[in-house]
Amino acid sequence: ARMENHTRISEFILVGFKSHPGSQVLLSVLFSTMYFVTVVGNICMILIIRMEPKLHTPMYFFLGNLSTLDICYSSVITPRAALAFLLGRRSISYAGCASQMFFFSLFGTTEAFFLAVMAYDRFTAICNPLLYQVVMSRRLCVLMVVGSYLSGCINCTIQTGFTFSLSFCGHREIKHFFCEVAAVIHTSCSNTLVNELVMLAVCGPIIVGTALVVFVSYGYIIVTIIQMPSAESRHKAFSTCSSHMVTICLFFGTVFFMYAQPGAASSSPSKSNIISIFYTVVIPMLNPFIYTLRNREVKGALKKQLKRKGFFK
């Protein structure tokens, strides 16, 4: 009987942002535009870092990886959502939903670890500049990136495995615009207490742990910057870090709301839909701008490449 429950549902219906047709077209255009900007912006970032030897440092190695991750992260959700709004086809197959959840959890968790790794990199550069080259070796940088992805893999396997071991009896509507863990759990007809506890037990330490690394690193960084003797070095150090801080506050602020408080997401689906847009669509789009516009080295490298291609005299 248990197996019958599993196979009874072959698809789900995503009902996030259901409203009159005019606004659906607007949502589709908005999502498509944001996705286009995300892909183009992040590809530009990757190319600038690849082409400019000056940017072959740990900080830009992580930034290049973050851009790749953001393209993948956004690709899991945004194009499908934009099409659903446009065509009104809101159904997603059981397997499609499971794979969307798997990759969303993988890239989302990895992003949290990346932000922690990048904060540690800035902490080492500003607080221990003499040891920076020794500490942030190429080997450590690669290990940190691989470790971030592995952590993401472990989390998404647990989340997806536990969620899709539940029974879905006929209630097919997911109150979200993608297969987000809490929203899918909410549609099950099984007792979901264990799932909610697992989600809290796994996501809680990941979010709190990575946020802690980030905020402790930046605490030390701010103290070190304040103590710098010259105004110029203070300004230079702060301009590299302020951009990181913007991303971090946006990402962890929205993720805390969604995953660090049990029941917050399911108690108000429309609010959680809007907040989800931030960390699934808006942040991957903003990252290249935040990191380039606030960064003299990247702007210099971009000008250099444009000059080489004949755009500037």
Side-chain angles (χ1 to χ4, degrees):
R2 195 175 155 78
M3 201 54 217
E4 272 173 29
N5 280 344
H6 278 227
T7 50
R8 200 175 294 169
I9 274 192
S10 59
E11 59 176 27
F12 294 98
I13 313 287
L14 297 164
V15 294
F17 299 119
K18 234 181 173 175
S19 51
H20 57 87
S23 63
Q24 295 297 303
V25 174
L26 191 67
L27 274 171
S28 180
V29 170
L30 187 68
F31 269 56
S32 304
T33 308
M34 279 155 74
Y35 181 63
F36 177 75
V37 174
T38 302
V39 174
V40 172
N42 282 294
I43 286 175
C44 287
M45 195 75 184
I46 295 163
L47 290 175
I48 292 166
I49 292 167
R50 284 268 166 87
M51 290 156 118
E52 179 53 65
K54 254 196 211 159
L55 302 183
H56 294 174
T57 62
M59 176 176 150
Y60 293 106
F61 170 72
F62 294 132
L63 263 182
N65 274 289
L66 182 71
S67 286
T68 309
L69 181 71
D70 278 339
I71 292 170
C72 299
Y73 189 31
S74 194
S75 299
V76 174
I77 291 156
T78 320
R80 193 188 171 101
L83 261 176
F85 295 140
L86 189 64
L87 306 173
R89 280 213 301 266
R90 290 171 170 274
S91 58
I92 183 168
S93 69
Y94 187 88
C97 190
S99 62
Q100 191 182 50
M101 182 186 290
F102 181 87
F103 288 109
F104 161 72
S105 299
L106 167 65
F107 298 131
T109 310
T110 307
E111 176 120 0
F113 278 97
F114 266 20
L115 293 174
V117 163
M118 289 165 76
Y120 176 73
D121 169 68
R122 290 298 80 211
F123 161 75
T124 314
I126 290 167
C127 303
N128 299 313
L130 300 175
L131 290 172
Y132 183 64
Q133 299 297 336
V134 184
V135 175
M136 298 307 284
S137 63
R138 177 84 188 162
R139 185 167 171 267
L140 181 70
C141 292
V142 172
L143 280 175
M144 281 172 148
V145 168
V146 172
S148 298
Y149 274 105
L150 276 177
S151 310
C153 263
I154 293 165
N155 183 36
C156 69
T157 306
I158 294 170
Q159 297 293 348
T160 313
F162 267 89
T163 304
F164 284 89
S165 66
L166 292 168
S167 301
F168 300 94
C169 312
H171 185 63
R172 301 186 305 157
E173 290 198 344
I174 296 171
K175 292 189 171 76
H176 218 301
F177 64 95
F178 68 98
C179 287
E180 192 267 331
V181 185
V184 176
I185 288 174
H186 209 61
T187 61
S188 168
C189 55
S190 310
N191 181 354
T192 60
L193 180 68
V194 172
N195 289 67
E196 282 164 33
L197 290 174
V198 166
M199 187 168 146
L200 206 62
V202 179
C203 289
I206 289 172
I207 298 164
V208 173
T210 50
L212 215 66
V213 170
V214 165
F215 292 115
V216 168
S217 297
Y218 278 105
Y220 276 107
I221 286 168
I222 291 163
V223 170
T224 308
I225 291 173
I226 291 165
Q227 291 170 347
M228 284 177 177
S230 79
E232 195 190 336
S233 54
R234 274 201 302 272
H235 178 74
K236 193 184 170 197
F238 195 74
S239 69
T240 6
C241 293
S242 57
S243 53
H244 292 215
M245 285 180 201
V246 173
T247 310
I248 282 153
C249 292
L250 272 173
F251 183 82
F252 284 106
T254 52
V255 168
F256 260 112
F257 174 85
M258 291 295 293
Y259 299 104
Q261 333 170 42
S266 54
S267 61
S268 106
S270 60
K271 200 190 281 182
S272 79
N273 269 340
I274 291 163
I275 286 169
S276 299
I277 290 183
F278 264 94
Y279 65 86
T280 55
V281 187
V282 178
I283 294 171
M285 177 185 75
L286 289 181
N287 276 350
F289 295 102
I290 290 170
Y291 288 112
T292 46
L293 298 176
R294 305 273 333 187
N295 194 313
R296 216 176 292 161
E297 287 170 329
V298 176
K299 280 194 279 194
L302 182 60
K303 271 188 193 146
K304 192 171 145 186
Q305 293 303 330
L306 290 172
K307 262 185 199 161
R308 198 177 285 169
K309 301 278 184 288
F311 286 102
F312 280 138
K313 284 287 173 282

